[in-house]
Amino acid sequence: DQPFFVMTGPCVIESRDLCLEIADRLVDLRESTGVKFIFKASFDKANRTSIHSFRGPGLEKGLRILKDLREHTGLSVMTDVHEPSQAAPCGEAVDLLQIPAFLCRQTDLLAACAETGKPVSVKKGQFVSPAEMANVVGKLQESGTKKILLCERGSFFGYNRLVNDMGAIADMQSLGYPVIFDATHSTQMPGGLGNSSAGAREKAPILAKAAVAAGANALFIEIHPRPDEALCDSACMMPLEWVEDTVKKCRDIFSLIRS
Amino acid sequence: DQPFFVMTGPCVIESRDLCLEIADRLVDLRESTGVKFIFKASFDKANRTSIHSFRGPGLEKGLRILKDLREHTGLSVMTDVHEPSQAAPCGEAVDLLQIPAFLCRQTDLLAACAETGKPVSVKKGQFVSPAEMANVVGKLQESGTKKILLCERGSFFGYNRLVNDMGAIADMQSLGYPVIFDATHSTQMPGGLGNSSAGAREKAPILAKAAVAAGANALFIEIHPRPDEALCDSACMMPLEWVEDTVKKCRDIFSLIRS
Amino acid sequence: DQPFFVMTGPCVIESRDLCLEIADRLVDLRESTGVKFIFKASFDKANRTSIHSFRGPGLEKGLRILKDLREHTGLSVMTDVHEPSQAAPCGEAVDLLQIPAFLCRQTDLLAACAETGKPVSVKKGQFVSPAEMANVVGKLQESGTKKILLCERGSFFGYNRLVNDMGAIADMQSLGYPVIFDATHSTQMPGGLGNSSAGAREKAPILAKAAVAAGANALFIEIHPRPDEALCDSACMMPLEWVEDTVKKCRDIFSLIRS
Amino acid sequence: DQPFFVMTGPCVIESRDLCLEIADRLVDLRESTGVKFIFKASFDKANRTSIHSFRGPGLEKGLRILKDLREHTGLSVMTDVHEPSQAAPCGEAVDLLQIPAFLCRQTDLLAACAETGKPVSVKKGQFVSPAEMANVVGKLQESGTKKILLCERGSFFGYNRLVNDMGAIADMQSLGYPVIFDATHSTQMPGGLGNSSAGAREKAPILAKAAVAAGANALFIEIHPRPDEALCDSACMMPLEWVEDTVKKCRDIFSLIRS
């Protein structure tokens, strides 16, 4: 019976300053909401829509920023892993590894992350059924870990649009592990702006509440103090000032449905 | 700021006795939950999977049962309308008319229902986007009514499966009318059993909670005291004994997200 | 081993003159291509996107025009039926009845059409799997007819878009009846223009060829001499001058794959 | 105006003997059909459904077999690349590199393949619209190559099922490069057998003909002399004895629609 928690942060490590600005706010929110936050940011975005998109500071510099931030704020930190060779250094630097949705079936990547001993959160691919996540879980377990989390971030629903099957949260929980709901990427409209993804950030709080009411164990929310200036996924990023209300409502729904 | 309410009943009027058994239970639940119930049952099922499926008692006998039931219990009653010629007699007998999803674009049917002066609830077709419901609303308004309700009951998601776009509830509400969530038909697997639809009734309470957390104004739930014996939609019918907990949880989520 | 044939015409009976203009051209094409044409036009469009859309001349006047046209040109004629009460008069006037996709599960409509003794072509609903068409076929057979045709016109593929499962043609043929491919409605983008459907008419010849190569027995193509002026489905209507090449190519593919 | 050609082979390099058995047959077919074949087989399957699935002989041994086979038969050879570090050795050994569908947006992988100077064929992800392939093409072009091919292998169509949008072939061709149709993976039912993918190999010849009629420039077909014994994708592998008829029919449709 783990308590409700929230993975959150600015998609990509745009700068040390931005990360600290956000993390400081999360420290305040931890106080005001009583909810645990895990700080998430990517050191590299390996599959941006366009080759000209900003990718991040890279592995070495990115992990240094995350470690500093953890020391500075006491927050747990997490990051994405895109290739097997990145798993070991990431596993040393952060508290939780995340596998992107497109890569959720890449056997070597799953195995390398599992072998770090750190918890691994896998996003369900937009092309994968909840039942197929049994095979993802199997690959991680056979590679020696039981610290597994699964994440719902939307399924393909015709071109340029995703949909969340809220019933799939329970289906994935039946595999024996907690299920996180990614409220911001679920609002993505892939390729919707031609050379970048569109989004509908005003839907993120709605979907977050729905997913927690459907039983999700935790939330994943990408946030930014100035979303329109965000260097990645701007269209679906949640403004920092929406977070407190969303988290409080979801925390209360979480308790209500378990009462 | 209408309070939370629930449309519910046994899919089809199997018998006067079954309707009374269920309605009596709803009267009790009205007491224990403080929630308003509208009794729903169909006098005819005009698009069953198989021609051999049970269809109901027909218009005349069906409406008589619904009127008796209203007198007996004080519950409001509603029923489905399948052809323009049925609108007037239904409008005289019941408190609310419902247009089935497959028929949501049939102009004459919408107009005939609007002209009764009774509120009309239209199920969004499984093949219709939320934005297209603006045209359905337009047809009703031009036919002289503003007593309109819209209902989400799932969109086609590959063969034999539906999915609910929980963000679509807000999109439909932006048309200016309340949105009902049909928790039981949303779990249908059309044609999943060959000559009848399969379903996943255990998902109905989950989806109900998610939809209310996403802002739905009311619920539609088909119920049966002995679902496995139900003569229609057995696989997705909610057992009578689940209703109280589902309604209470949804009632509380309804209040929580509006607080 | 029926030869290749084509159902075609102007969606709705805009006027007697338009119908004759198109039918005269079909008589020429019958000569130049050696292919049989069945003239199709609707007397009423019962589910237009908007209540303000043009609907047609109505049952009586529409059937009179179709009968005249048959006499004048020797072409077989067909039309849509939307309510059980229309089946008998249509059955007397035309050579083939067609059931619209949204109505493909309406039991009474299927039965009434079957009882006319005329062949009945049913469009597969955008929300129906090919296997479920076994139940549609069952309803027709139990109502006393074996003159059945099925028609593929696209499945829902996310909001405002359809997709054709070309493998479904063979699945429906395995039910024992010929399968028609509707090349123009398959390009529809329902609701894509807000108060009317968008379309992609340039895709119609491509999809027609693909469907015939996948084994379709015949084509359904809506045509217009001046598509941009068409009063219905303008965006997906095929210009009259494309028909000859499309029909010849499809006729040759039809033979090639059966050789 | 490139002539019709076919990429084909046994999914994974099960053994040198199997590859030679198939390649010898392709040499015969080249004679009997006049069509150019490119031999395809993977040295590693990096995203099998289960961690226990057979993966192949690995990079070094696999590339050696492919080079031998090319020398022995005169066939061009191609293989999959899964990580940027594999691009250079593959580029030296084979005539064409292929990027798997799940990885079609991985920027570094695209760039590494482009930099080999060998033609690169990219499978459209099951979660990607045809228009988004402009960004994939952009990444390759910016990395210095114009030897690009795109491949349609199905889009997600509800859980455990794919569908081919045959109109998407023309949309992708409008990006300026030839479009291949993958006839066998398009019949996959991902996860349909629990711990492996199901398939419908009898649909492969049907879809191949449809795609060529829709304008596809070439085919991709995985084949096996004894499909039920295949170590990978057995359910959708085409039996060797079906290839000749399928290729001849498709070759003739290819000519017919260009005449």
Side-chain angles (χ1 to χ4, degrees):
Chain A
D1 273 8
Q2 234 186 332
F4 180 62
F5 63 99
V6 179
M7 301 168 163
T8 190
C11 189
V12 64
I13 301 174
E14 299 184 12
S15 69
R16 175 187 300 264
D17 283 355
L18 179 79
C19 289
L20 285 175
E21 179 184 354
I22 292 173
D24 283 341
R25 181 73 184 113
L26 295 180
V27 170
D28 294 345
L29 285 171
R30 188 173 50 184
E31 284 300 303
S32 66
T33 64
V35 167
K36 183 186 170 186
F37 292 93
I38 303 176
F39 185 89
K40 183 267 166 182
S42 297
F43 58 83
D44 183 29
K45 304 300 296 180
N47 57 32
R48 295 297 305 271
T49 304
S50 160
I51 201 170
H52 299 298
S53 307
F54 177 74
R55 289 187 51 163
L59 181 74
E60 208 177 328
K61 191 170 168 202
L63 293 182
R64 212 161 45 231
I65 292 174
L66 290 174
K67 283 167 81 170
D68 287 2
L69 186 145
R70 179 171 50 180
E71 219 161 288
H72 176 76
T73 62
L75 293 168
S76 296
V77 296
M78 60 183 280
T79 199
D80 286 327
V81 183
H82 317 87
E83 298 196 12
S85 65
Q86 298 169 342
C90 288
E92 275 170 43
V94 303
D95 302 290
L96 188 149
L97 304 176
Q98 180 174 267
I99 294 185
F102 296 158
L103 305 180
C104 73
R105 285 182 53 150
Q106 302 300 313
T107 308
D108 293 339
L109 181 60
L110 289 162
C113 288
E115 285 159 15
T116 66
K118 289 288 167 72
V120 182
S121 180
V122 189
K123 296 203 171 179
K124 186 186 78 60
Q126 298 88 335
F127 48 93
V128 170
S129 64
E132 285 171 83
M133 293 303 282
N135 295 305
V136 171
V137 163
K139 290 180 183 182
L140 289 167
Q141 286 177 340
E142 302 264 349
S143 303
T145 191
K146 296 210 157 178
K147 296 180 196 156
I148 298 171
L149 305 96
L150 303 176
C151 179
E152 159 64 21
R153 55 89 76 231
S155 294
F156 181 87
F157 186 56
Y159 299 144
N160 308 123
R161 189 176 273 273
L162 302 172
V163 72
N164 296 113
D165 174 4
M166 292 298 178
I169 292 170
D171 292 333
M172 287 198 277
Q173 285 169 329
S174 74
L175 301 173
Y177 297 100
V179 172
I180 317 304
F181 180 74
D182 178 342
T184 39
H185 290 103
S186 290
T187 75
Q188 255 181 351
M189 295 170 178
L193 299 176
N195 60 358
S196 67
S197 289
R201 71 169 72 112
E202 72 284 1
K203 294 281 173 66
I206 294 172
L207 295 176
K209 287 178 276 186
V212 172
N217 300 89
L219 289 177
F220 177 103
I221 311 175
E222 288 189 344
I223 56 176
H224 201 284
R226 296 162 292 281
D228 292 335
E229 297 171 22
L231 298 179
C232 178
D233 283 343
S234 165
C236 60
M237 194 79 61
M238 190 186 286
L240 206 40
E241 68 263 28
W242 296 6
V243 178
E244 183 164 12
D245 183 62
T246 301
V247 166
K248 282 181 170 172
K249 290 263 163 66
C250 288
R251 173 199 66 188
D252 292 347
I253 294 172
F254 183 91
S255 300
L256 194 163
I257 65 160
R258 281 166 178 77
S259 66
Chain B
D1 273 7
Q2 234 187 333
F4 180 63
F5 64 99
V6 179
M7 300 167 164
T8 189
C11 189
V12 65
I13 301 174
E14 299 184 13
S15 70
R16 177 187 298 263
D17 283 354
L18 180 79
C19 289
L20 285 175
E21 178 185 353
I22 292 174
D24 284 340
R25 180 74 184 115
L26 294 179
V27 171
D28 294 344
L29 286 170
R30 187 172 50 185
E31 284 300 301
S32 67
T33 64
V35 168
K36 183 186 171 188
F37 292 92
I38 303 175
F39 184 88
K40 182 267 166 182
S42 298
F43 58 82
D44 182 28
K45 304 301 295 180
N47 56 32
R48 296 297 306 272
T49 304
S50 160
I51 200 170
H52 300 297
S53 308
F54 177 74
R55 289 187 52 162
L59 181 73
E60 209 178 325
K61 192 170 167 201
L63 294 182
R64 210 162 45 232
I65 292 175
L66 291 173
K67 282 166 84 169
D68 286 2
L69 186 146
R70 179 171 50 180
E71 219 161 286
H72 176 76
T73 61
L75 292 168
S76 296
V77 296
M78 60 183 281
T79 199
D80 286 327
V81 183
H82 316 88
E83 297 197 12
S85 64
Q86 299 170 339
C90 289
E92 275 168 44
V94 304
D95 302 290
L96 189 149
L97 303 177
Q98 180 174 266
I99 294 184
F102 296 157
L103 304 179
C104 72
R105 284 182 53 149
Q106 302 300 314
T107 307
D108 294 339
L109 181 59
L110 290 161
C113 288
E115 285 158 16
T116 65
K118 288 290 166 70
V120 182
S121 179
V122 189
K123 295 203 171 179
K124 187 184 78 58
Q126 298 87 336
F127 47 92
V128 170
S129 64
E132 284 172 83
M133 293 303 282
N135 296 305
V136 171
V137 162
K139 290 179 183 181
L140 289 168
Q141 286 177 339
E142 302 264 349
S143 303
T145 192
K146 296 210 158 180
K147 296 181 197 154
I148 298 170
L149 304 97
L150 303 176
C151 179
E152 158 65 21
R153 55 90 76 234
S155 293
F156 181 86
F157 186 57
Y159 298 144
N160 309 122
R161 188 176 274 273
L162 303 171
V163 73
N164 297 113
D165 174 4
M166 292 297 178
I169 292 170
D171 292 334
M172 287 198 277
Q173 284 169 329
S174 74
L175 301 173
Y177 296 101
V179 172
I180 317 304
F181 180 74
D182 179 342
T184 40
H185 289 103
S186 290
T187 74
Q188 254 180 352
M189 296 169 176
L193 299 177
N195 59 358
S196 68
S197 290
R201 72 169 70 115
E202 72 283 3
K203 294 280 173 66
I206 294 172
L207 295 175
K209 288 178 274 185
V212 172
N217 299 89
L219 289 177
F220 178 103
I221 312 176
E222 288 189 345
I223 57 176
H224 202 284
R226 295 162 294 280
D228 293 335
E229 297 170 21
L231 298 178
C232 178
D233 283 344
S234 165
C236 60
M237 195 77 61
M238 190 185 285
L240 206 42
E241 68 262 29
W242 296 5
V243 178
E244 183 164 12
D245 183 61
T246 301
V247 167
K248 284 182 171 172
K249 291 263 162 67
C250 288
R251 173 199 68 189
D252 292 347
I253 295 172
F254 183 91
S255 300
L256 193 163
I257 65 161
R258 281 166 178 78
S259 67
Chain C
D1 272 7
Q2 234 186 334
F4 180 62
F5 63 100
V6 179
M7 301 168 164
T8 189
C11 189
V12 64
I13 301 173
E14 299 185 12
S15 69
R16 177 187 300 263
D17 284 355
L18 178 79
C19 288
L20 285 174
E21 178 184 355
I22 292 173
D24 284 341
R25 181 74 184 114
L26 294 180
V27 171
D28 293 346
L29 285 171
R30 190 174 47 184
E31 283 302 301
S32 67
T33 64
V35 167
K36 183 188 171 186
F37 291 93
I38 303 175
F39 183 88
K40 183 268 164 181
S42 297
F43 58 82
D44 182 29
K45 303 301 294 181
N47 57 31
R48 296 296 306 271
T49 304
S50 159
I51 200 168
H52 300 296
S53 309
F54 177 75
R55 289 187 51 162
L59 180 75
E60 209 177 328
K61 192 170 168 203
L63 294 183
R64 211 161 45 231
I65 293 175
L66 291 174
K67 282 166 81 169
D68 287 2
L69 186 145
R70 179 171 50 180
E71 220 160 287
H72 177 76
T73 61
L75 292 168
S76 297
V77 296
M78 60 183 280
T79 199
D80 286 326
V81 183
H82 316 88
E83 297 197 13
S85 64
Q86 300 170 339
C90 289
E92 275 168 44
V94 304
D95 303 290
L96 188 149
L97 303 176
Q98 180 175 267
I99 294 185
F102 296 157
L103 305 180
C104 73
R105 285 182 52 149
Q106 302 299 313
T107 308
D108 294 340
L109 181 60
L110 290 161
C113 288
E115 285 159 16
T116 66
K118 289 289 167 71
V120 181
S121 179
V122 188
K123 296 203 170 178
K124 187 185 78 59
Q126 299 87 336
F127 47 92
V128 170
S129 64
E132 285 171 83
M133 293 304 280
N135 295 305
V136 171
V137 163
K139 290 179 182 182
L140 290 167
Q141 287 176 339
E142 301 263 350
S143 303
T145 192
K146 295 210 159 179
K147 297 180 195 154
I148 299 171
L149 304 97
L150 303 176
C151 179
E152 160 64 21
R153 54 89 78 233
S155 295
F156 181 86
F157 187 55
Y159 298 144
N160 307 123
R161 188 175 274 274
L162 302 172
V163 72
N164 296 113
D165 174 4
M166 293 297 179
I169 293 170
D171 292 333
M172 287 198 278
Q173 285 169 329
S174 74
L175 300 174
Y177 298 100
V179 172
I180 319 304
F181 180 74
D182 178 343
T184 39
H185 289 104
S186 290
T187 75
Q188 255 181 351
M189 296 170 178
L193 299 176
N195 60 357
S196 68
S197 289
R201 71 169 71 113
E202 72 283 2
K203 295 281 173 66
I206 294 172
L207 295 176
K209 287 178 276 186
V212 173
N217 299 89
L219 288 177
F220 177 104
I221 312 177
E222 288 189 344
I223 57 176
H224 201 284
R226 296 162 293 281
D228 292 335
E229 297 170 22
L231 297 179
C232 178
D233 283 343
S234 166
C236 60
M237 194 78 61
M238 190 186 284
L240 206 40
E241 68 262 29
W242 296 6
V243 177
E244 184 164 12
D245 184 62
T246 300
V247 167
K248 283 181 171 172
K249 291 263 163 66
C250 289
R251 174 201 66 190
D252 292 347
I253 294 172
F254 183 92
S255 300
L256 195 162
I257 65 159
R258 280 166 179 76
S259 68
Chain D
D1 273 7
Q2 234 186 333
F4 180 61
F5 63 99
V6 179
M7 301 167 164
T8 189
C11 188
V12 64
I13 301 173
E14 298 185 13
S15 70
R16 175 186 300 262
D17 283 355
L18 179 79
C19 288
L20 285 175
E21 178 184 355
I22 292 173
D24 284 342
R25 180 73 184 115
L26 294 179
V27 171
D28 293 346
L29 286 171
R30 188 173 49 184
E31 283 302 299
S32 67
T33 64
V35 168
K36 182 186 171 188
F37 292 92
I38 304 176
F39 183 89
K40 182 268 166 183
S42 298
F43 57 83
D44 182 29
K45 304 301 294 180
N47 57 32
R48 297 296 306 273
T49 303
S50 160
I51 201 169
H52 299 297
S53 309
F54 177 74
R55 289 187 52 163
L59 181 73
E60 209 177 326
K61 192 170 167 202
L63 293 182
R64 210 160 48 231
I65 292 175
L66 290 173
K67 283 166 82 168
D68 286 2
L69 185 145
R70 179 170 52 180
E71 219 160 286
H72 176 76
T73 62
L75 293 167
S76 296
V77 296
M78 61 183 279
T79 200
D80 287 326
V81 183
H82 317 87
E83 296 198 14
S85 65
Q86 299 170 339
C90 289
E92 274 169 44
V94 303
D95 301 290
L96 189 149
L97 304 177
Q98 179 174 268
I99 294 184
F102 297 156
L103 305 180
C104 73
R105 285 182 53 149
Q106 302 299 314
T107 308
D108 294 340
L109 180 61
L110 290 160
C113 288
E115 284 158 17
T116 65
K118 289 290 166 69
V120 182
S121 180
V122 188
K123 296 203 169 178
K124 186 183 80 57
Q126 298 87 334
F127 47 93
V128 169
S129 64
E132 286 171 80
M133 292 304 282
N135 296 304
V136 170
V137 163
K139 290 180 183 181
L140 289 167
Q141 287 177 339
E142 302 264 349
S143 304
T145 190
K146 296 211 158 180
K147 296 180 196 154
I148 298 170
L149 305 98
L150 303 176
C151 179
E152 159 64 20
R153 53 90 76 233
S155 295
F156 181 86
F157 187 56
Y159 299 144
N160 308 123
R161 189 175 274 273
L162 302 172
V163 73
N164 296 114
D165 174 4
M166 292 298 178
I169 293 170
D171 292 333
M172 287 198 277
Q173 284 168 329
S174 74
L175 301 173
Y177 298 99
V179 172
I180 318 304
F181 180 74
D182 178 343
T184 38
H185 289 103
S186 290
T187 75
Q188 255 180 351
M189 295 170 178
L193 298 176
N195 60 358
S196 68
S197 289
R201 71 168 73 113
E202 73 282 3
K203 295 280 172 67
I206 294 172
L207 295 176
K209 288 178 274 186
V212 172
N217 299 89
L219 288 177
F220 177 103
I221 311 176
E222 288 189 344
I223 56 177
H224 201 285
R226 296 162 294 280
D228 292 335
E229 296 170 22
L231 299 179
C232 178
D233 282 343
S234 165
C236 59
M237 194 78 61
M238 191 186 284
L240 206 40
E241 69 262 29
W242 296 5
V243 178
E244 182 163 13
D245 183 62
T246 301
V247 166
K248 283 182 170 171
K249 291 263 162 69
C250 288
R251 174 200 68 190
D252 292 347
I253 295 173
F254 183 91
S255 301
L256 194 162
I257 65 160
R258 281 166 178 77
S259 69

